Amino acid sequence: MQPKVIATDAALQLIEKLKTKYGPLMFHQSGGCCDGSSPMCYPQGEFMIGNSDVLLGEIGGCPFYMHAAQYEYWKHTQLIIDVVPGRGGMFSLEGSEGVRFLTRSKMFD
């Protein structure tokens, strides 16, 4: 079975850098209006996970969650977390690095 979420080498390198600065991390796939639909990176425990959040897996040893309603749209795809230049979500830890996490996807076979 293919994992529901994976990360590129660039994303994994950034995750390691952020873990060195901030300690254990977690991700939540944003569906909010302010930050678009971006993977948001937080110190572990800084974002409140609720009963309606789905744990998709881990990237770089960090749990990756998505709200269940949004998951309904994405459940037939594999999320591929990448890094691109630019400013991302204002609350996501990578913002000070001049890059942002980006979600790409591909349909499951």
Side-chain angles (χ1 to χ4, degrees):
M1 181 165 188
Q2 295 177 325
K4 294 184 184 297
V5 61
I6 61 173
T8 65
D9 288 341
L12 292 172
Q13 289 173 12
L14 179 57
I15 290 168
E16 288 305 312
K17 183 176 183 178
L18 294 174
K19 283 169 42 176
T20 299
K21 287 175 88 170
Y22 300 104
L25 306 174
M26 63 182 291
F27 286 84
H28 191 275
Q29 177 69 38
S30 171
C33 62
C34 298
D35 294 318
S37 185
S38 302
M40 304 292 285
C41 180
Y42 302 99
Q44 182 115 21
E46 290 284 320
F47 184 87
M48 298 299 290
I49 297 301
N51 291 337
S52 57
D53 288 306
V54 177
L55 176 62
L56 299 183
E58 290 188 353
I59 55 172
C62 307
F64 193 102
Y65 297 90
M66 176 183 282
H67 190 276
Q70 188 174 11
Y71 177 68
E72 281 301 308
Y73 294 107
W74 292 81
K75 67 183 176 183
H76 302 294
T77 64
Q78 181 179 56
L79 303 183
I80 304 156
I81 308 307
D82 200 359
V83 175
V84 295
R87 300 280 313 196
M90 60 195 296
F91 300 112
S92 194
L93 293 177
E94 80 279 6
S96 64
E97 303 294 324
V99 295
R100 64 186 182 97
F101 288 109
L102 174 77
T103 301
R104 301 181 192 281
S105 65
K106 72 175 189 171
M107 295 296 288
F108 281 122
D109 298 334

